[in-house]
Amino acid sequence: MDDAALTVWAPGPVPEVRPGDDLAALLLAALGRRPTLRDGDIVVVTSKVVSKAEGRIVAADTREEAIDAETVRLVASIPHAHDDGATRIVENRLGMVCAAAGVDASNTDAGTVLLLPLDPDASARALAASLRAATGAAVGVIVTDTLGRAWRNGQTDTAIGAAGVTVFDEMAGTVDSNGRPLVATRPCLADEIAAASDLVKGKTSGRPFAIVRGLGRAVGALDLPGARSIVRPPESDMFRQGHREAYADGYAAGLAAASATAGDAGVTGTDKENS
């Protein structure tokens, strides 16, 4: 049987990205004399440069103000031991549950912060369309952001936008090597590609793009479901709150129920006395 192989590299470095920059042109310039993009290649790009090119830089006296504006729902908050602040895990307007709503204060001018793209899937589609038009190659695009994981320390890059890429490796209905049926196996291929690309992009190398070659089976039409489909819907979310928030809400609900019960008992007693 033939060996399986995957090639991942990060061209560059790339100049500092500014609002209005053409990311497709920057990538093609960074590729330089390398072989052009091929059918089945997957281009991975950090959300930071996508946001910069799209002008998602906003003025903010503090990062907390921007986090407030981007937050839809507080999931959990842990007070800092060294100051009056807190680390907040929130749901942002993209449906992502993450620290600080994805607001980034690194590598931005003083007094500004960087927000995530308005629609990372649309950003991925636009870049994929530009690259396909420029090269003639059927490529996919994944937009990444660095996120933590529940129950695990550290961070890894994950897919927050995708176009022309099958984001899940649907294995339900197939069988394993022993012939047993697979029922729930569904690797998130887009997240695995995002994590692999970060091994070559790094965080401070000035290389925001990576090319992944060898997964042509995952590349398809630009109207394939994007990374938004990775976000777990509320009805199947088993961990909607942190333990402090769940306890506080439960305690408040219990007090309200006890007060209502006591009130009903008082009315009943009065009614008996008047009968």
Side-chain angles (χ1 to χ4, degrees), residues 98-178:
C98 55
V103 175
D104 193 349
S106 63
N107 295 315
T108 60
D109 293 335
T112 66
V113 295
L114 193 64
L115 308 182
L116 291 174
L118 279 172
D119 185 342
D121 284 334
S123 302
R125 282 193 300 273
L127 179 55
S130 293
L131 290 171
R132 289 185 178 200
T135 66
V139 301
V141 169
I142 290 176
V143 178
T144 69
D145 192 36
T146 303
L147 300 176
R149 288 83 37 77
W151 306 296
R152 301 179 73 84
N153 290 321
Q155 301 84 32
T156 186
D157 264 23
T158 59
I160 67 168
V165 179
T166 302
V167 296
F168 291 108
D169 202 354
E170 303 285 1
M171 301 184 70
T174 64
V175 296
D176 66 14
S177 56
N178 293 314

Side-chain angles (χ1 to χ4, degrees), residues 23-115:
L23 293 180
L26 287 174
L27 170 59
L28 294 176
L31 285 168
R33 296 182 180 179
R34 286 179 178 272
T36 187
L37 296 174
R38 302 176 185 172
D39 286 344
D41 284 350
I42 299 173
V43 173
V44 186
V45 57
T46 63
S47 61
K48 182 185 289 287
V49 297
V50 175
S51 291
K52 287 183 176 181
E54 294 179 354
R56 295 287 289 156
I57 305 168
V58 299
D61 292 334
T62 69
R63 187 184 183 206
E64 298 303 313
E65 293 177 1
I67 295 171
D68 289 342
E70 292 292 292
T71 295
V72 172
R73 176 177 62 90
L74 176 67
V75 176
S77 178
I78 301 177
H80 293 162
H82 56 279
D83 59 30
D84 294 331
T87 297
R88 287 185 284 168
I89 306 299
V90 305
E91 178 185 344
N92 67 15
R93 53 179 180 71
L94 296 174
M96 295 166 48
V97 174
C98 55
V103 175
D104 193 349
S106 63
N107 295 315
T108 60
D109 293 335
T112 66
V113 295
L114 193 64
L115 308 182

Side-chain angles (χ1 to χ4, degrees), residues 182-274:
L182 299 175
V183 177
T185 305
R186 196 188 193 201
C188 187
L189 191 57
D191 280 351
E192 293 177 329
I193 294 168
S197 74
D198 196 45
L199 295 174
V200 295
K201 288 195 279 79
K203 302 301 180 188
T204 59
S205 65
R207 299 173 186 268
F209 298 100
I211 314 299
V212 178
R213 181 167 290 168
L215 281 174
R217 64 181 176 83
V219 176
L222 293 184
D223 60 356
L224 285 169
R228 187 66 186 251
S229 65
I230 300 172
V231 177
R232 188 181 295 276
E235 59 271 18
S236 62
D237 186 353
M238 298 175 66
F239 308 100
R240 293 287 287 171
Q241 290 180 295
H243 69 280
R244 290 179 176 85
E245 290 71 23
Y247 177 86
D249 284 356
Y251 187 78
L255 285 179
S259 177
T261 300
D264 290 343
V267 171
T268 302
T270 302
D271 289 345
K272 288 180 179 180
E273 291 173 1
N274 292 334

